[in-house]
Amino acid sequence: AQSVTQLGSHVSVSEGALVLLRCNYSSSVPPYLFWYVQYPNQGLQLLLKYTSAATLVKGINGFEAEFKKSETSFHLTKPSAHMSDAAEYFCAVSRGRTGNQFYFGTGTSLTVIP
Amino acid sequence: KAGVTQTPRYLIKTRGQQVTLSCSPISGHRSVSWYQQTPGQGLQFLFEYFSETQRNKGNFPGRFSGRQFSNSRSEMNVSTLELGDSALYLCASSPQGARTEAFFGQGTRLTVV
């Protein structure tokens, strides 16, 4: 079965510092992986997706993620944190041979310290 | 292009009642999925509809049901509400095909008292 694990339910960084949010997947087949962001009282917004075309995936708002098969990881990074990056971040895997059925990690709350 | 629209945004219901939530997907999207989000359980998949047919189903009791109309709009119904059904219910639409990205609405906040 495919699933994702997010390490660290809370991450704090200083404004301008590197953001690193960790996600590991377990999959018996090549996964389809996604990162979403959720602001308070809002839905989820897609940051980026991995669908095996390239291991380094660039997303919106300066975020990127690297797929590492040897480490079964898909960590999310951003070189320089902004105050507006404070939100909840979810890693997700798409399961099922047909359809769109997402399984989400438990989320990481990012705090940016001025 | 308009995004995914969910109505209403907020609902307060009494235990034992039933509730219907509505979702209008992005124009052209035929796949609509529903998720429940709670602090304790996180984001959980409820079900997915495609061309008016349920294509995938999560592990929820039969009190949770849904349907999709010919215009791809979807409704989700919860009968005999329990306190534990209080949650943010999110609808997502996806382009045709499997394992594509999902675009989420802002959600309906359901409170059961």
Side-chain angles (χ1 to χ4, degrees):
Chain A
Q2 299 177 30
S3 66
V4 291
T5 302
Q6 289 185 245
L7 302 175
S9 57
H10 298 276
V11 170
S12 294
V13 300
S14 297
E15 191 174 16
L18 171 72
V19 175
L20 170 61
L21 304 181
R22 300 177 187 274
C23 174
N24 287 88
Y25 69 91
S26 63
S27 172
S28 57
V29 299
Y32 281 54
L33 293 163
F34 303 79
W35 274 101
Y36 281 87
V37 61
Q38 186 178 33
Y39 299 99
N41 297 316
Q42 298 292 321
L44 278 70
Q45 181 182 12
L46 178 67
L47 282 174
L48 49 81
K49 63 178 181 179
Y50 168 75
T51 56
S52 76
T55 57
L56 183 62
V57 182
K58 293 188 183 298
I60 63 171
N61 301 339
F63 285 93
E64 62 182 37
E66 186 173 7
F67 176 76
K68 291 187 177 180
K69 187 176 180 180
S70 61
E71 299 176 6
T72 61
S73 68
F74 190 57
H75 301 332
L76 181 71
T77 61
K78 182 174 180 178
S80 176
H82 294 174
M83 295 298 296
S84 60
D85 294 328
E88 189 90 14
Y89 291 80
F90 293 93
C91 181
V93 62
S94 179
R95 288 174 59 175
R97 295 182 180 178
T98 61
N100 298 290
Q101 182 175 347
F102 283 74
Y103 284 81
F104 289 85
T106 51
T108 297
S109 177
L110 176 66
T111 300
V112 182
I113 304 166
Chain B
K1 230 178 198 183
V4 178
T5 303
Q6 291 188 246
T7 56
R9 288 292 312 276
Y10 301 93
L11 265 178
I12 299 176
K13 289 288 187 179
T14 303
R15 191 171 47 182
Q17 288 185 315
Q18 75 166 14
V19 67
T20 299
L21 312 182
S22 180
C23 173
S24 293
I26 293 171
S27 178
H29 287 188
R30 294 166 63 188
S31 166
V32 175
S33 301
W34 289 89
Y35 293 82
Q36 181 196 64
Q37 185 177 25
T38 59
Q41 299 298 318
L43 280 153
Q44 293 185 287
F45 172 77
L46 279 156
F47 30 66
E48 181 206 6
Y49 285 86
F50 181 83
S51 294
E52 303 178 64
T53 301
Q54 188 179 87
R55 185 157 70 171
N56 288 291
K57 187 177 190 303
N59 189 28
F60 276 81
R63 299 187 297 108
F64 292 82
S65 62
R67 60 177 175 170
Q68 187 180 33
F69 302 95
S70 58
N71 62 358
S72 294
R73 191 177 70 84
S74 177
E75 288 182 347
M76 190 192 98
N77 185 77
V78 187
S79 62
T80 320
L81 283 166
E82 300 176 359
L83 296 179
D85 297 333
S86 295
L88 180 67
Y89 289 89
L90 293 164
C91 169
S93 77
S94 299
Q96 186 169 349
R99 308 176 83 181
T100 57
E101 62 267 34
F103 298 87
F104 285 80
Q106 292 191 306
T108 294
R109 173 73 64 184
L110 172 65
T111 302
V112 183
V113 297

